[in-house]
Amino acid sequence: SRLTFFEEGLTASVMVADQPTIENRFLAVNGKVEASTSGDMETQVMCAHLPLLLHPAPLDVLVIGLASGITAGAAATHDVRSVRVVEIEGAMVRAARHFDAVNGAVLDDPRVTVSINDARNELTFSPRTYDVIASEPSNPWMTVASNLFTEEFFRLAKTRLRPGGIFCGWIQTYALATDDLRAVVAAFHASFPNTMLFETFEGTDLLLLGSDAPLTLPLDRMAKRMSELKVWVDLGRVGAHRPADILPLFRLGTAEIGRLIAGAERNTDDN
């Protein structure tokens, strides 16, 4: 790897490096890779596009976790009014600048604001509400991110969603026991009775979508949104040009989720 950026931040060490032989640039936090321009691209892009394509009229978006800025950049390709990014580590803003070529220089978009804050603090004390919340922190077993996968967090996030709003949360499947995965999904479902689960990055990542309103796949509206030039180009990076390209990622609906989590513990702050 070829070092591009490194900074010891207040909460973590942040590094950006290139792997020239495979044409990949990655971001690592405390030595753990959290974003990249190759393998992670589908998850980073879909975490924003999926809820925005399913919501009937999204205006305001919250992205939890800046990292490479690719998820925030994907949100900004849509005709939304605002994209607010909450990021706990200030050094991440400077690191994300090294991904401008793949995140659409999202930090220069006048609709985008960055709040250097803990996500739960942001949701607790900011009165803002949103149509879509896209949450893509680190893994549930990472100390700095573990409280963004609990029942209390999902309940808090729900209070910041407008009626019919959609929450999209990332969960990885590697290094996570089956019962732990079921516990996280159970905690999510407790706040979002209408749930859909998608699978990205060849079965490595899951995206959970939840809402207080029934969730459907409105193919005609999705096709219209996906035909917008900026959205079309951004989704093209992961080979998604029409709804039929997204449908294979769908795994479970609300009824199947219920069967998956039957008898599961709920992941809570104290558990």
Side-chain angles (χ1 to χ4, degrees):
S1 298
R2 182 180 300 156
L3 186 65
T4 300
F5 169 88
F6 179 82
E7 183 175 335
E8 286 282 359
L10 182 65
T11 68
S13 62
V14 182
M15 180 183 77
V16 177
D18 290 325
Q19 296 174 300
T21 56
I22 59 173
E23 298 182 351
N24 181 49
R25 172 166 287 186
F26 67 89
L27 179 145
V29 178
N30 292 337
K32 180 185 178 300
V33 176
E34 299 288 4
S36 70
T37 59
S38 58
D40 295 304
M41 186 61 74
E42 184 177 46
T43 302
Q44 294 167 138
V45 167
M46 285 299 179
C47 191
H49 283 298
L50 274 174
L52 284 164
L53 289 171
L54 268 58
H55 194 285
L59 291 176
D60 300 299
V61 181
L62 176 68
V63 176
I64 296 175
L66 174 63
S68 63
I70 291 173
T71 299
T77 64
H78 289 259
D79 186 23
V80 295
R81 180 169 56 194
S82 71
V83 178
R84 186 169 179 83
V85 182
V86 57
E87 168 58 53
I88 195 170
E89 176 51 62
M92 202 72 71
V93 177
R94 294 176 284 282
R97 283 294 183 184
H98 293 271
F99 291 86
D100 275 358
V102 288
N103 67 28
V106 67
L107 295 175
D108 295 328
D109 191 315
R111 299 170 298 163
V112 175
T113 58
V114 178
S115 172
I116 304 301
N117 197 1
D118 172 78
R120 287 181 66 154
N121 186 281
E122 176 86 15
L123 291 172
T124 299
F125 295 105
S126 171
R128 295 171 180 264
T129 58
Y130 306 93
D131 300 298
V132 165
I133 298 177
S135 181
E136 200 175 25
S138 188
N139 307 56
W141 38 265
M142 296 291 286
T143 301
V144 73
S146 59
N147 69 359
L148 302 182
F149 293 91
T150 67
E151 185 170 341
E152 289 85 352
F153 169 71
F154 296 130
R155 189 185 306 133
L156 173 62
K158 185 179 180 181
T159 68
R160 297 304 175 195
L161 278 174
R162 295 166 188 157
I166 299 176
F167 183 101
C168 179
W170 165 85
I171 308 174
Q172 44 72 33
T173 57
Y174 59 90
L176 191 67
T178 301
D179 283 344
D180 293 338
L181 172 62
R182 294 173 65 238
V184 172
V185 177
F188 184 89
H189 189 61
S191 287
F192 299 104
N194 301 287
T195 306
M196 299 177 83
L197 186 146
F198 293 79
E199 190 175 55
T200 58
F201 191 17
E202 298 179 351
T204 300
D205 295 326
L206 303 177
L207 293 176
L208 271 173
L209 273 67
S211 178
D212 62 352
L215 287 171
T216 62
L217 291 166
L219 301 184
D220 290 342
R221 188 173 70 227
M222 289 173 65
K224 183 178 180 180
R225 294 254 184 94
M226 292 174 74
S227 68
E228 296 171 6
L229 181 58
K230 290 182 179 180
V231 176
W232 170 271
V233 172
D234 200 59
L235 282 170
R237 297 189 293 179
V238 295
H241 294 292
R242 55 200 179 113
D245 299 323
I246 292 177
L247 293 179
L249 304 178
F250 176 71
R251 290 294 176 266
L252 304 174
T254 298
E256 294 81 11
I257 289 285
R259 291 197 289 273
L260 172 69
I261 63 175
E265 290 189 75
R266 292 180 183 177
N267 188 45
T268 65
D269 287 350
D270 291 334
N271 177 25

